[in-house]
Amino acid sequence: MKSLSHSLRLYVGTVSLLGGGIVLLALSHLPTYDLGGYAFFVLLSMLIEAAAIRWQSPKGRVVSASSALTYAVLIIYGPLPAGLVNAVKGLVGALYPERRSWHRAIFDAALLAISGTVAGLSYLLLYGLLGQSSRILVFLAAIGAGLTDYFITATGTAIAVALYRSTSALKAWVENFDLIPTPYLLLAVLGIIIALGYGEFGLLGLALFFFPIFLARYIFKSYIDKTHRQVELLRAANAALDMANQELIETLAAIIDARDIFTYGHSIRVTDYALAVAKEMGLPEEEREMIRKAGLLHDIGKVGISERILTKKGILTQDERHILEQHPVLGEEILGRVKDMIELAEIVGSHHERYNGKGYPCGHKGQEIPLAGRILGVADALDAMLSDRPYRPAMSLLQALVEIQRNAGMQFDPYVVEALLRVAEKAEADFFKNSTRTTEAASIQQADDHPQTTFFRPKSVSVASHK
């Protein structure tokens, strides 16, 4: 109890002493007139607890089926025997199947001893007030006992949670327990049925009653265990399939890039830049995974474009440019044939759209363009600027970023551009790359000579300047 506060230690100690006193009192007042039957109830309660035959409440609290035996015992034998049964089942539940700390186990058992005894007293009180003329009234008295058991257990636990978390008991109660404890009401009714059955048929009737329950539990557990094994196998198969799909996507990206020596590795770099921007914008993992796939496959449509056009070392003619601008359409058509890649296809088809609506192939603008497409558009343009081309050398990082910032709101989404600038400020020098080398900040001296043209100094540029 070293980690517990003084107030929580005092509370746990008080409950434990009170519960322990009830257990000792119950042991001195065992129902000797039917000791065998009572021992059977105790043993059965322990078996049910150990077998983990339980329900779960809407708020996730676990309710043991052995509570039905507690309610049967309080009807048959009275409050103290019920408190002892409750304590024993609490101790078993605290030690098996998951062992709790010793002070938690003692506290749980003591609290249940208190709740079971008080529930028995409430049954006697209600039974006396309502009278014995009708079995319906007996049912009501038992339901009242079940509610008493629940609210004492819930309140006692809520106080402990509140002391542990330094919060209010009411808040802890509301967060962890239900106002209407449906499982306890059903267990109270089941307890009455067990008590009536035991009164009519004795131990044989009790055994016949619980044998189907244990059998059903065994069959159900076997089914669940088998299902869990199948689920694990499916998970392993899905993981292998995901890995195969990933390798296939990366292979396709390499094939696409290999068609042009000047764009080799382009898809990987675009993906890296796009993922960094997406992370900076706080996009969830699922969206970033979609961007990763789209980045690797964004130029897949180029498989349908003539290699003569892709590798031409001069300015493209108008007809050649029109053909080249069809690659987003071809990419969307290729990926769109796969049912699970419809969203991915839409992103690939939109990565050359412009924020002002003057892009291609559809002329979409602003929010009409998927966010992933807007991010890829910026990443694609950045890598194109940073890489050598047959008709021009690569730009420096600073030149490329200034150019992208100048086109924010026109070609590029300004929010995506802002995220890119934040990435650049924090990135290491080797994050932004040319085809075969780390991008050199060739214009650092120019930036120093003309500070009015420098919007910011990225960390990647600053680091390079000091090496």
Side-chain angles (χ1 to χ4, degrees), residues 49 122 283 308 409:
E49 199 66 36
S122 69
L283 298 188
R308 178 184 61 81

Side-chain angles (χ1 to χ4, degrees), residues 153-399:
T153 305
T155 303
T157 304
I159 293 172
V161 171
L163 291 172
Y164 182 76
R165 297 179 180 174
S166 299
T167 186
S168 71
L170 179 60
K171 182 180 179 182
W173 207 102
V174 171
E175 289 178 349
N176 292 279
F177 298 98
D178 303 294
L179 184 59
I180 302 176
T182 305
Y184 279 83
L185 299 178
L186 296 176
L187 289 169
V189 173
L190 182 58
I192 297 170
I193 295 172
I194 294 171
L196 294 174
Y198 181 72
E200 291 289 334
F201 305 105
L203 289 177
L204 179 60
L206 198 60
L208 291 175
F209 180 87
F210 275 95
F211 178 75
I213 294 178
F214 278 103
L215 181 61
R217 197 270 175 190
Y218 173 77
I219 295 172
F220 184 69
K221 186 178 184 302
S222 300
Y223 171 76
I224 291 295
D225 290 343
K226 182 179 179 181
T227 302
H228 283 166
R229 290 193 294 270
Q230 291 175 340
V231 168
E232 290 303 318
L233 289 174
L234 285 173
R235 284 176 178 170
N238 284 334
L241 185 59
D242 287 341
M243 181 64 70
N245 288 338
Q246 170 64 17
E247 292 174 353
L248 177 60
I249 289 173
E250 291 176 356
T251 301
L252 287 173
I255 292 172
I256 295 164
D257 291 350
R259 297 194 67 200
D260 185 354
I261 190 173
F262 287 97
T263 62
Y264 187 76
H266 167 71
S267 297
I268 293 176
R269 291 193 305 276
V270 168
T271 302
D272 289 342
Y273 302 156
L275 286 175
V277 170
K279 186 175 181 180
E280 181 65 31
M281 296 179 72
L283 298 188
E285 179 64 30
E286 184 177 347
E287 292 185 36
R288 296 205 303 270
E289 177 62 17
M290 184 64 69
I291 288 173
R292 185 187 65 79
K293 293 177 181 178
L296 291 171
L297 296 177
H298 74 282
D299 276 341
I300 192 172
K302 286 185 178 180
V303 298
I305 305 299
S306 168
E307 192 170 332
R308 178 184 61 81
I309 295 176
L310 293 176
T311 58
K312 184 176 181 180
K313 295 184 178 180
I315 304 298
L316 297 178
T317 66
Q318 186 174 353
D319 288 342
E320 288 171 337
R321 176 157 293 280
H322 176 71
I323 292 173
L324 181 62
E325 290 178 354
Q326 296 306 303
H327 81 268
V329 177
L330 293 173
E332 185 170 3
E333 289 179 355
I334 291 170
L335 296 175
R337 294 173 183 175
V338 181
K339 184 179 179 181
D340 292 337
M341 290 189 173
I342 300 298
E343 184 179 357
L344 184 65
E346 183 182 0
I347 295 170
V348 167
S350 67
H351 76 277
H352 277 297
E353 300 288 358
R354 295 195 172 193
Y355 196 72
N356 60 5
K358 295 184 179 180
Y360 62 87
C362 299
H364 292 158
K365 63 180 180 180
Q367 302 298 317
E368 296 174 357
I369 309 168
L371 176 57
R374 284 176 265 152
I375 292 174
L376 282 178
V378 171
D380 188 40
L382 175 64
D383 186 67
M385 294 178 193
L386 294 178
S387 301
D388 295 311
R389 289 292 183 264
Y391 48 86
R392 61 154 178 82
M395 290 185 182
S396 71
L397 174 61
L398 186 59
Q399 289 173 329

Side-chain angles (χ1 to χ4, degrees), residues 382 397-406 417-427 432 443-444 447-448 450-462:
L382 175 64
L397 174 61
L398 186 59
Q399 289 173 329
L401 292 174
V402 168
E403 179 67 16
I404 287 175
Q405 191 176 37
R406 187 175 66 81
V417 172
E418 288 177 9
L420 173 63
L421 299 184
R422 293 195 299 272
V423 168
E425 288 174 342
K426 294 183 282 188
F432 297 97
S443 61
I444 291 177
D448 290 337
H450 304 282
Q452 67 275 12
T453 64
T454 305
F455 292 77
F456 60 89
R457 181 182 294 277
K459 179 181 178 183
S460 49
V461 173
S462 300

